[in-house]
Amino acid sequence: MSPPAPLDIDMVGVTDTSAVPMPDPLTVNGVPGWREKMAKIPTGVAASCSSDMFKSPACYTKPKAKRFDHLLSIEAKSRKASTLKAAAQYLKNPGIISLGGGLPSAEYFPIEHIDIKVPNPPEFSSEATRKSGSVVRAGKHDIKDGTSLYDLEIALNYGQATGAAQLLRFITEHTEIIHNPPYSDWQCTMTCGSTYAWDTALRVLTERGDYILMEEYTFVSAAETAFPLGLKAVGIPIDEEGLIPEAMDEILSNWDEKARGARKPYVLYTIPTGQNPTGATQSAERRNAVYKVAQKHDVYIVEDEPYYFLQMQPYEFIKSLVPSFLSIDVDGRVCRLESFSKVISPGSRVGWIVASEQMIERFIRNFEVSSQNPSGISQIVLFKLLDEHWGHSGFLDWLIHLRMQYTDRRDALLHSCEKHLPTEIAHWVPPAAGMFHWIEVDWRKHPGVAAGKTREAIEEEIFLSAVEHQVLLSRGSWFKADKSAVMEKMYFRATYAAASSEKIDEAIARFAKCLRDQFGL
Amino acid sequence: MSPPAPLDIDMVGVTDTSAVPMPDPLTVNGVPGWREKMAKIPTGVAASCSSDMFKSPACYTKPKAKRFDHLLSIEAKSRKASTLKAAAQYLKNPGIISLGGGLPSAEYFPIEHIDIKVPNPPEFSSEATRKSGSVVRAGKHDIKDGTSLYDLEIALNYGQATGAAQLLRFITEHTEIIHNPPYSDWQCTMTCGSTYAWDTALRVLTERGDYILMEEYTFVSAAETAFPLGLKAVGIPIDEEGLIPEAMDEILSNWDEKARGARKPYVLYTIPTGQNPTGATQSAERRNAVYKVAQKHDVYIVEDEPYYFLQMQPYEFIKSLVPSFLSIDVDGRVCRLESFSKVISPGSRVGWIVASEQMIERFIRNFEVSSQNPSGISQIVLFKLLDEHWGHSGFLDWLIHLRMQYTDRRDALLHSCEKHLPTEIAHWVPPAAGMFHWIEVDWRKHPGVAAGKTREAIEEEIFLSAVEHQVLLSRGSWFKADKSAVMEKMYFRATYAAASSEKIDEAIARFAKCLRDQFGL
């Protein structure tokens, strides 16, 4: 626990772009040219940085985000910049010797280099990588040696809450290329994963006793992050396209503070693409409608998007992606949670968030005195792979490869469902993204109903019978945002992420047998 | 954001040790023998584990820790185990196919192996490592191939809040060898660094409005972690051995709830060894006295010990270390924050905590829905270095090497202080541990006093004059735990961690010149 010089968000700035005429939006092919014009990347130990160093001039032609001071929690409002921050400014004096910060000397890091074996696009398979992949090396003094912009001397030392400039540059460019937010002062900061970012978002935005808005079936751990903070969830009804904007509007328009014992909710948590657990993906029209309801009721949107690149249409990659909330966010009322977990490695525990400068600054003030920054070892591995080896184009090739792989997996699961499941009682909508398939089972046809059994009891019976049949699925009721809500229907969630096609087919065949046994078919 | 199977603390247990007679405490040399008798290490994806799997039989001859339910916060009390936890139990059925958890398949991790160049004890220098160090490899399927207990297939996937069993084993053994807590049900869990662990400790133990106890001068970021949570700090007077137990007793005995507007504090944050900023180290007697005061007033101790192994006496290593609070903690009222930051790499963002099972379980419930676990990439790098390559004996050799290095650095700084500083006004106690030197300056002899200048104004003037003389030190007032407390004395903190001996000597000579100019000597 030692104080790195903290981020001075005012210290950094974009290079002078006054000579540039009407700038074009950043593209994959435009990155090398823009990098030449960018301010020099700061490469010192725990050097300050911000997305403003890396955003292209096109960003600055847009209006600024609205301010959301009125939505900040007491905790978030009371955060101040670190006391030791004041000292960091003096480090800029050339010739000064610092006996100030307790940063260890690099000679005491017992790692001289790290070599990483990675794929060469487009040969992405494990087998091809083992045979003909490349080895990329991170040495201790590559910056001094002039062989890289990032090295172990920096990555193994303390860092900034934003993460290192070297990786933040890639993340910022990626964000601009894919989402191009419609306001100027957006920023990125790295996080120790999206679960942690969500926990922090709740601490930045809510008070004990508040309600938050969620899809009526949601990633249960996201709800369980909120409950111990004294928060309750209102489940918004969903259909095959996810959130129903009219239902959200109705809940908010008719909010009864007295009856609820809480003020009107103003934070929406949503998984717009390949939703967990339902697999639903909101269309562009749906997102626009939800955004309008959010504007009407001054709701702040946290979009959790780990499955964004696991959309299944396999051509015209960037254009084919459904627009994110971030990309339509004219107000700056969206915080986008981004994750490498589903596209590179969950074990890296590196994610990032995108939001307006005001919000990102409050997150950074929080991170500085809690997680500090994600692992520098993870960061340099990601930098070597994504920035130095693949570049944006190779990364997009990888994402296309992944979505083809997941499309195959999804198709295998759907084929098995069509082949095995009794359609008299089992129904589903093919998921267009993500890793989850949501199977509805018509429990009212179960023989237990006549015997007076409840929906809950029958769900439990089917689940346990499936386990007896040697297949594990997740029970739909586990994913209820509001635990007190009454369920009319019954669902089981199946993932096609981990098992092979053969195993998936066997598992679905077993589940079909279980259902036939249970329903006497 | 996907739910790994969470820790089931009841699922795991030590192997049957009923046949073992009166067991000896674990030693470095005893580890290989004990590992043969241990339960088999769980190596699956996100496999549950706990320190109970790795503690030697000697631990179980001791009484259990007291319970501290009455000190838990509302937030901590309301945390429940994850809903998805229930499903994890079914994974133990052999033959079951899981379509349950959304864990990516290892074929989608684009890293086939990582090679790490590390030192061979006792040749620890960077130069020796570059020339003759070893390369250790982490492959993707080393577990299946039978070449290692840990591999990238596991490290790159989701994990448990405890961290991976493979590294937790090493950490647990290390804790037992060094601290051997005097109660039986202690546990370790990894953390994303000590700053994060301290933030979590505050959320587990305190409510908005509470006071916490700290050394009157303390690591300012630790205080700044607490303030936005609505906490205030009481500074306990210190001397050259740190915390004064009589002063702590007096503050607690005379606590006036009405005057303070808050209940009596029951959380102590202390840095017992090489304290930041004062460099003070509490003796064994001092720690015992502080512990007795904590018992008398039912205070829970959080000991933050990043500098524990930077104690300066260079012989009889383990025996020469001053006993930790953990090692005298008969009640289980200590949570020890441990860090690799000062002894391996701050950038790893891997630390761990040690406390009673009750407290560790509450931390784990928190981590599961926030940080989840430290980076798996960091964990496997540490495992390869510490467990597979060095072992406990090599790690202790490294720690001895470090403390000799820091002893040399401290001696160089002290020598420069003796050589340059005007002893008419500058006084210090040689630090016995850590990386900080606390220099008192007799400000009452400053010519500004006669002109009516305050202590604060003179401190500012000296600090800015030092910057003009091209040397950066930290101002003592930055480290006040209680910002409203009146300072009688004036201090500057210098670190000997980062600069070379030559630079340190030059910096102290500059500071001496600054002081002579300021005081007209």
Side-chain angles (χ1 to χ4, degrees):
Chain A
M1 286 180 73
S2 191
L7 177 82
D8 185 343
I9 224 159
D10 301 323
M11 258 168 60
V12 296
V14 77
T15 39
D16 180 19
T17 56
S18 52
V20 181
M22 202 51 194
D24 291 326
L26 189 66
T27 60
V28 169
N29 292 335
V31 166
W34 166 232
R35 282 193 177 187
E36 279 175 27
K37 292 181 206 142
M38 261 179 210
K40 201 163 166 286
I41 201 162
T43 55
V45 175
S48 294
C49 66
S50 99
S51 289
D52 279 345
M53 302 176 119
F54 313 121
K55 285 153 66 183
S56 85
C59 299
Y60 297 93
T61 60
K62 297 169 186 171
K64 280 202 161 193
K66 291 188 176 166
R67 290 191 62 85
F68 291 90
D69 304 69
H70 57 292
L71 302 188
L72 294 173
S73 69
I74 296 170
E75 181 182 314
K77 276 187 201 140
S78 62
R79 289 197 180 277
K80 292 178 187 154
S82 157
T83 297
L84 297 174
K85 176 176 180 172
Q89 61 180 301
Y90 301 108
L91 292 176
K92 286 185 286 186
N93 299 13
I96 203 163
I97 304 175
S98 174
L99 306 181
L103 304 173
S105 166
E107 63 188 294
Y108 304 142
F109 303 152
I111 301 173
E112 289 304 310
H113 71 242
I114 294 178
D115 284 341
I116 313 145
K117 184 81 178 275
V118 294
N120 294 323
E123 298 301 326
F124 288 120
S125 75
S126 280
E127 206 190 330
T129 308
R130 275 193 302 275
K131 276 188 194 155
S132 57
S134 293
V135 172
V136 291
R137 171 168 296 190
K140 208 186 226 176
H141 300 292
D142 293 348
I143 298 173
K144 278 177 200 152
D145 297 346
T147 54
S148 179
L149 288 172
Y150 197 20
D151 63 17
L152 293 178
E153 177 169 4
I154 304 304
L156 295 177
N157 215 323
Y158 285 101
Q160 292 290 339
T162 48
Q166 292 86 342
L167 185 57
L168 190 71
R169 180 177 65 172
F170 185 90
I171 282 170
T172 302
E173 292 162 349
H174 174 82
T175 299
E176 189 178 341
I177 292 166
I178 303 291
H179 303 288
N180 194 15
Y183 61 94
S184 64
D185 54 336
W186 58 273
Q187 300 262 357
C188 305
T189 178
M190 279 178 238
T191 68
C192 296
S194 288
T195 309
Y196 178 63
W198 169 235
D199 178 55
T200 306
L202 291 170
R203 297 187 192 277
V204 167
L205 288 163
T206 68
E207 305 290 351
R208 190 163 276 277
D210 282 344
Y211 273 82
I212 56 170
L213 304 159
M214 307 184 98
E215 280 109 358
E216 63 178 325
Y217 302 106
T218 188
F219 175 46
V220 58
S221 294
E224 288 171 349
T225 300
F227 298 150
L229 309 188
L231 301 169
K232 288 174 211 149
V234 205
I236 301 173
I238 53 178
D239 61 17
E240 66 277 11
E241 279 198 23
L243 282 178
I244 302 175
E246 296 77 13
M248 177 172 157
D249 185 35
E250 196 187 319
I251 288 168
L252 290 167
S253 298
N254 301 316
W255 190 262
D256 183 338
E257 289 207 356
K258 272 201 182 150
R260 295 278 194 167
R263 58 181 167 168
K264 193 168 129 178
Y266 56 87
V267 174
L268 167 67
Y269 172 87
T270 179
I271 308 170
T273 312
Q275 202 252 357
N276 185 355
T278 65
T281 295
Q282 298 173 30
S283 66
E285 295 68 32
R286 182 61 66 93
R287 289 177 203 222
N288 278 306
V290 168
Y291 190 80
K292 275 195 188 118
V293 175
Q295 285 182 308
K296 175 179 170 188
H297 295 282
D298 199 15
V299 165
Y300 194 84
I301 301 172
V302 179
E303 67 168 339
D304 187 13
E305 279 282 50
Y307 314 111
Y308 186 69
F309 287 110
L310 305 184
Q311 298 178 47
M312 304 299 177
Q313 309 87 328
Y315 43 83
E316 280 192 285
F317 189 58
I318 294 180
K319 278 189 196 163
S320 76
L321 296 167
V322 65
S324 62
F325 277 110
L326 177 64
S327 70
I328 61 172
D329 180 22
V330 291
D331 296 343
R333 62 172 66 253
V334 172
C335 177
R336 183 174 171 86
L337 313 185
E338 295 268 16
S339 168
F340 286 118
S341 289
K342 299 303 192 284
V343 297
I344 300 283
S345 151
S348 72
R349 294 288 85 214
V350 179
W352 74 99
I353 57 174
V354 193
S356 69
E357 180 175 317
Q358 177 189 21
M359 301 307 284
I360 292 294
E361 195 267 350
R362 293 289 89 187
F363 274 87
I364 288 173
R365 291 285 95 78
N366 187 322
F367 294 161
E368 278 173 355
V369 289
S370 55
S371 64
Q372 296 207 27
N373 52 264
S375 158
I377 304 176
S378 289
Q379 286 188 63
I380 199 164
V381 166
L382 289 168
F383 170 79
K384 286 279 157 185
L385 173 66
L386 294 173
D387 191 286
E388 279 195 355
H389 187 58
W390 281 353
H392 289 286
S393 155
F395 182 43
L396 292 180
D397 286 344
W398 167 256
L399 294 172
I400 292 165
H401 164 76
L402 273 190
R403 93 167 175 179
M404 280 159 56
Q405 293 280 313
Y406 276 93
T407 301
D408 288 349
R409 285 173 168 271
R410 187 240 358 223
D411 292 349
L413 177 69
L414 287 175
H415 180 72
S416 298
C417 287
E418 284 159 14
K419 192 166 86 183
H420 299 300
L421 291 185
T423 49
E424 310 95 288
I425 52 159
H427 318 287
W428 57 88
V429 177
M435 35 175 76
F436 298 112
H437 185 46
W438 188 237
I439 302 166
E440 185 187 342
V441 173
D442 188 356
W443 65 277
R444 291 180 200 277
K445 293 184 182 154
H446 193 276
V449 172
K453 282 188 188 163
T454 63
R455 198 210 61 85
E456 282 65 32
I458 295 170
E459 184 188 285
E460 166 106 2
E461 204 173 306
I462 296 173
F463 171 76
L464 291 175
S465 166
V467 169
E468 270 173 39
H469 285 78
Q470 296 279 57
V471 56
L472 186 62
L473 295 120
S474 299
R475 292 173 59 173
S477 61
W478 289 345
F479 300 94
K480 284 201 296 184
D482 176 357
K483 295 296 167 199
S484 67
V486 176
M487 281 180 80
E488 295 294 333
K489 296 187 175 179
M490 181 186 294
Y491 301 96
F492 291 89
R493 190 193 77 173
T495 179
Y496 42 93
S500 65
S501 302
E502 296 71 35
K503 291 267 188 190
I504 286 174
D505 192 64
E506 176 61 28
I508 295 296
R510 290 176 185 178
F511 185 51
K513 173 86 168 58
C514 149
L515 289 179
R516 289 204 168 84
D517 289 356
Q518 279 283 312
F519 285 78
L521 301 171
Chain B
M1 285 178 76
S2 190
L7 177 82
D8 184 344
I9 225 160
D10 301 322
M11 257 167 61
V12 297
V14 76
T15 40
D16 180 20
T17 55
S18 53
V20 181
M22 202 50 197
D24 291 327
L26 190 65
T27 60
V28 169
N29 293 333
V31 166
W34 166 233
R35 283 192 176 187
E36 280 175 27
K37 291 181 207 144
M38 263 179 208
K40 204 163 165 286
I41 202 163
T43 55
V45 175
S48 296
C49 64
S50 99
S51 289
D52 278 345
M53 302 175 119
F54 313 122
K55 285 153 65 182
S56 85
C59 299
Y60 297 93
T61 61
K62 296 167 186 171
K64 281 200 159 193
K66 290 187 176 169
R67 290 192 62 87
F68 290 90
D69 305 68
H70 57 293
L71 302 188
L72 294 173
S73 68
I74 295 170
E75 180 181 316
K77 275 187 201 139
S78 62
R79 288 196 181 277
K80 291 178 187 154
S82 155
T83 298
L84 297 174
K85 177 176 180 174
Q89 61 180 301
Y90 300 108
L91 292 174
K92 285 185 288 185
N93 298 15
I96 203 163
I97 303 175
S98 175
L99 305 181
L103 304 172
S105 166
E107 64 190 293
Y108 304 142
F109 303 151
I111 300 174
E112 289 304 310
H113 72 242
I114 294 178
D115 283 342
I116 313 145
K117 185 80 178 275
V118 293
N120 294 323
E123 299 301 325
F124 287 119
S125 75
S126 279
E127 206 191 331
T129 307
R130 277 194 300 275
K131 277 189 196 156
S132 57
S134 293
V135 172
V136 291
R137 172 168 296 189
K140 208 185 226 177
H141 300 292
D142 293 348
I143 299 174
K144 278 178 200 152
D145 297 346
T147 55
S148 179
L149 287 172
Y150 197 20
D151 63 19
L152 293 179
E153 176 167 6
I154 304 305
L156 296 177
N157 215 322
Y158 285 101
Q160 291 291 338
T162 47
Q166 292 87 341
L167 185 57
L168 189 71
R169 180 176 66 173
F170 185 89
I171 282 170
T172 302
E173 292 163 348
H174 174 82
T175 300
E176 188 177 341
I177 292 166
I178 303 291
H179 303 289
N180 195 14
Y183 62 94
S184 64
D185 53 336
W186 58 273
Q187 299 262 357
C188 306
T189 180
M190 278 177 238
T191 69
C192 297
S194 287
T195 309
Y196 178 63
W198 168 235
D199 178 55
T200 306
L202 291 170
R203 298 189 192 274
V204 167
L205 288 163
T206 69
E207 304 290 350
R208 190 163 274 278
D210 282 344
Y211 273 83
I212 56 169
L213 303 160
M214 306 183 101
E215 281 108 1
E216 63 178 325
Y217 302 106
T218 188
F219 175 47
V220 58
S221 295
E224 289 171 348
T225 300
F227 299 151
L229 309 188
L231 301 169
K232 291 175 208 148
V234 204
I236 301 173
I238 52 177
D239 61 17
E240 66 277 11
E241 278 198 24
L243 282 179
I244 302 174
E246 296 78 12
M248 177 171 157
D249 185 34
E250 197 186 318
I251 287 167
L252 290 167
S253 298
N254 301 318
W255 189 264
D256 184 338
E257 290 206 355
K258 273 200 183 152
R260 296 278 194 167
R263 58 182 167 168
K264 194 168 128 178
Y266 56 86
V267 173
L268 167 67
Y269 172 86
T270 180
I271 308 169
T273 311
Q275 202 255 355
N276 184 356
T278 66
T281 296
Q282 297 173 31
S283 67
E285 294 68 32
R286 181 60 65 95
R287 290 175 202 224
N288 277 305
V290 169
Y291 190 80
K292 278 200 184 113
V293 175
Q295 286 183 306
K296 177 179 168 188
H297 294 281
D298 199 15
V299 165
Y300 194 84
I301 301 172
V302 179
E303 65 168 340
D304 187 10
E305 279 284 51
Y307 315 111
Y308 186 70
F309 287 111
L310 305 185
Q311 297 177 48
M312 303 299 178
Q313 310 87 328
Y315 42 84
E316 277 191 285
F317 188 59
I318 293 180
K319 278 188 197 163
S320 75
L321 296 168
V322 65
S324 63
F325 276 110
L326 177 64
S327 70
I328 61 172
D329 180 22
V330 291
D331 295 344
R333 62 171 67 252
V334 172
C335 177
R336 183 174 172 87
L337 313 186
E338 296 268 17
S339 169
F340 285 118
S341 290
K342 300 303 191 286
V343 297
I344 300 284
S345 151
S348 73
R349 296 286 85 213
V350 178
W352 74 99
I353 56 174
V354 193
S356 68
E357 181 175 316
Q358 178 189 18
M359 301 306 284
I360 293 294
E361 194 267 350
R362 292 290 90 187
F363 275 86
I364 288 173
R365 291 286 93 78
N366 187 320
F367 294 161
E368 278 172 354
V369 289
S370 55
S371 65
Q372 295 209 29
N373 51 264
S375 158
I377 304 177
S378 289
Q379 286 188 62
I380 200 165
V381 167
L382 289 168
F383 171 80
K384 286 281 160 184
L385 173 66
L386 294 173
D387 191 287
E388 279 194 358
H389 187 60
W390 281 355
H392 290 286
S393 157
F395 182 43
L396 292 179
D397 286 345
W398 167 257
L399 295 172
I400 292 164
H401 164 76
L402 274 190
R403 92 167 177 179
M404 280 159 55
Q405 294 278 316
Y406 276 93
T407 301
D408 289 349
R409 285 173 168 273
R410 186 236 6 218
D411 291 349
L413 178 69
L414 288 174
H415 180 70
S416 298
C417 288
E418 283 160 14
K419 192 165 87 184
H420 299 299
L421 291 185
T423 49
E424 308 94 289
I425 52 157
H427 317 288
W428 58 87
V429 177
M435 35 175 75
F436 299 113
H437 184 46
W438 188 238
I439 302 166
E440 186 187 342
V441 172
D442 188 356
W443 65 277
R444 292 182 198 275
K445 293 183 182 154
H446 192 277
V449 172
K453 283 189 186 161
T454 63
R455 198 208 62 84
E456 282 66 31
I458 295 170
E459 185 189 284
E460 167 107 1
E461 205 173 304
I462 296 173
F463 171 76
L464 291 175
S465 165
V467 168
E468 271 173 37
H469 284 79
Q470 295 281 57
V471 55
L472 186 64
L473 295 119
S474 299
R475 291 172 59 173
S477 62
W478 288 345
F479 301 94
K480 284 201 297 183
D482 176 358
K483 296 296 168 200
S484 67
V486 177
M487 279 181 82
E488 296 293 334
K489 298 187 173 178
M490 180 186 294
Y491 302 95
F492 290 89
R493 190 194 76 173
T495 179
Y496 42 94
S500 65
S501 301
E502 296 71 36
K503 290 267 188 191
I504 286 174
D505 192 63
E506 176 61 29
I508 295 296
R510 291 175 185 179
F511 185 51
K513 174 87 168 55
C514 150
L515 287 179
R516 288 205 168 82
D517 289 357
Q518 280 283 313
F519 284 80
L521 297 174

